[in-house]
Structure formats: C-alpha cells, structure tokens
C-alpha cells in the first residue's frame, strides 16, 4: 500500500474500494505479482477446449471410477451424466475465453503475445481471465491496461469490485462482490479479514 500509495488513493477516490481490500486481494491472488504463472495462455485454453472430446470424457469416467470408494461400486447414470455435462461446460467456457483472448490480441498484439498465466488461464498480478480483462481492466495512464503493472492492477481490481456491486458503506455488498471475483466464501472472508487486520493495525 505504501509503495503504491498514489495509485491506491486514486483508485479509492474513483471506485470507493479501500486500499487494504485491494492489497489483500492482490496478495492472495499472486503474492503481489510473485506467482503470476508460467503457462502460455492460448495453449491453456486450447487444452481445456478438448474436455468434451469422447476420449477425454471416457478418461474422466475411468479416473472417477478409480478414485471412487470401492464400496460404492461403479459410476451410476447420474454420475456419468454429470461428468459429461461438466466436460461440455468446461469446453464451452474455454472457447469463450479464447474468443476473449482474440479480442485482446486485436486490441494489442504485443501485450498478448508475451502473456503467461496459471494453468487455468488467469494472468497478471490480479489473475484476471481474458473475459475479465476485456470487461474490467483499467489503466492508470490511459493506455492499454497492463496487468503486470501494479498501478493498472490496482485500478482494475477496484473497478471490477465496484462494477460487481461493492459499496464501501454497505458490508453486505462486499462479500457478494468478492464472490463474483472468486466463487468461494472462504476466499471472500479471507480478503475481508486480512483487510480488517491491516486497518486495525494502522
């Protein structure tokens, strides 16, 4: 917060999200950029796009059977349908993110060519997906947003939370906004707890 005080103050004034919340989220996502991922982004989504291929679905069924409790017996019809359904959903999601990545490329080829991220396709200090980048990435200098830049990461997270319903004076909105970022109650509560601890320490 101290190192990026100017960006933190500007983001708070513009989007009304506290610096301690932004900092807590960025620490949890990538340890302030230390762990941004090393996977080629397009390749990650191309890999996930194969999820609904028949041979992949069969592999998932075999894997599920292997790890299932022996007392339960083989997979039932409901479980098989669920595996197939999730595989199709994952494939469709990967295709939508590839299209979002293409949109990023058309906007700035230099930015996307060098991108690396997590195995699931999240990248930058705030670990945005391409779709999140297109919707929420903001630049502190009014140029193409670069999420490896701390100032742009700060503004982008603040905008994302505000657009997801965050209201600084309404605590009930805050967990809901964080759940839009990552659909995990533990995740949201961790960020709010960290932010509160830093606020109380100062």
């Amino acid at each position: 917060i101290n190192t990026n005080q100017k960006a933190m103050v500007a983001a708070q004034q513009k989007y009304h999200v506290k610096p301690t919340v932004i900092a807590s989220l960025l620490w949890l996502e990538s340890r302030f950029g230390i762990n941004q991922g090393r996977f080629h982004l397009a390749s990650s989504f191309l890999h996930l796009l194969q999820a609904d291929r028949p041979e992949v679905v069969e592999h998932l069924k075999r894997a599920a059977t292997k790890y299932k409790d022996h007392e339960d017996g083989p997979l039932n019809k409901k479980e098989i349908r669920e595996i197939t359904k999730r595989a199709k959903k994952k494939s469709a999601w990967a295709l939508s993110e590839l299209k979002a990545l293409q949109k990023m490329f058309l906007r700035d080829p230099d930015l996307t060519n060098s991108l690396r991220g997590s195995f699931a396709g999240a990248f930058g200090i705030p670990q945005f997906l391409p779709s999140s980048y297109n919707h929420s990435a903001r630049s502190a200098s009014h140029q193409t947003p670069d999420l490896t830049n701390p100032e742009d990461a700060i503004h982008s997270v603040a905008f994302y939370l505000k657009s997801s319903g965050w209201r600084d004076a309404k605590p009930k909105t805050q967990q809901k906004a964080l759940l839009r970022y990552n659909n995990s109650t533990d995740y949201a509560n961790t960020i709010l707890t960290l932010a509160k601890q830093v606020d109380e320490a100062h």
Side-chain angles (χ1 to χ4, degrees):
I1 293 173
N2 292 337
T3 302
N4 300 281
Q5 188 173 19
K6 183 179 179 181
M8 287 288 190
V9 171
Q12 183 177 21
Q13 290 175 344
K14 191 170 185 178
Y15 303 114
H16 308 291
V17 180
K18 293 191 299 183
T20 50
V21 172
I22 298 170
S24 297
L25 186 150
L26 294 176
W27 181 84
L28 197 61
E29 285 292 341
S30 70
R31 299 302 189 265
F32 301 137
I34 293 174
N35 300 323
Q36 295 186 43
R38 57 183 177 81
F39 293 88
H40 182 252
L41 228 58
S43 297
S44 295
F45 293 120
L46 284 169
H47 177 74
L48 294 170
L49 186 63
Q50 312 305 312
D52 67 341
R53 293 180 62 176
E55 57 268 39
V56 175
V57 175
E58 287 305 314
H59 170 76
L60 292 172
K61 291 176 184 177
R62 289 194 299 270
T65 302
K66 178 180 178 182
Y67 289 105
K68 192 177 179 184
D69 191 329
H70 291 297
E71 294 181 0
D72 291 341
L75 297 177
N76 57 47
K77 291 183 179 180
K78 182 179 179 180
E79 290 168 330
I80 292 172
R81 285 196 302 268
E82 184 65 22
I83 290 171
T84 304
K85 178 182 175 182
R86 290 191 179 194
K88 289 183 177 180
K89 185 176 180 180
K90 179 62 72 175
S91 180
W93 172 84
L95 180 59
S96 69
E97 290 300 332
L98 272 172
K99 290 179 179 179
L101 187 61
Q102 180 188 36
K103 187 175 180 179
M104 290 174 58
F105 175 81
L106 293 173
R107 180 179 182 179
D108 188 341
D110 292 335
L111 176 66
T112 51
N113 283 340
S114 60
L115 276 181
R116 293 292 185 275
S118 72
F119 70 93
F123 66 96
I125 300 173
Q127 292 290 281
F128 272 19
L129 292 167
S131 58
S132 298
Y133 178 94
N134 290 331
H135 175 266
S136 299
R138 294 294 182 271
S139 172
S141 57
H142 305 290
Q143 298 180 5
T144 302
D146 178 2
L147 297 185
T148 65
N149 179 303
E151 292 186 353
D152 289 1
I154 289 165
H155 278 262
S156 298
V157 165
F159 176 82
Y160 187 104
L161 292 178
K162 182 185 178 182
S163 66
S164 296
W166 179 284
R167 298 296 179 267
D168 214 18
K170 297 181 179 180
K172 289 184 179 180
T173 67
Q174 297 170 11
Q175 187 181 66
K176 289 182 179 180
L178 289 167
L179 286 171
R180 289 282 302 277
Y181 203 102
N182 184 320
N183 191 26
S184 164
T185 302
D186 289 339
Y187 175 90
N189 289 341
T190 298
I191 289 173
L192 293 172
T193 300
L194 283 172
K196 182 179 179 182
Q197 289 176 347
V198 177
D199 283 332
E200 291 175 347
H202 294 79

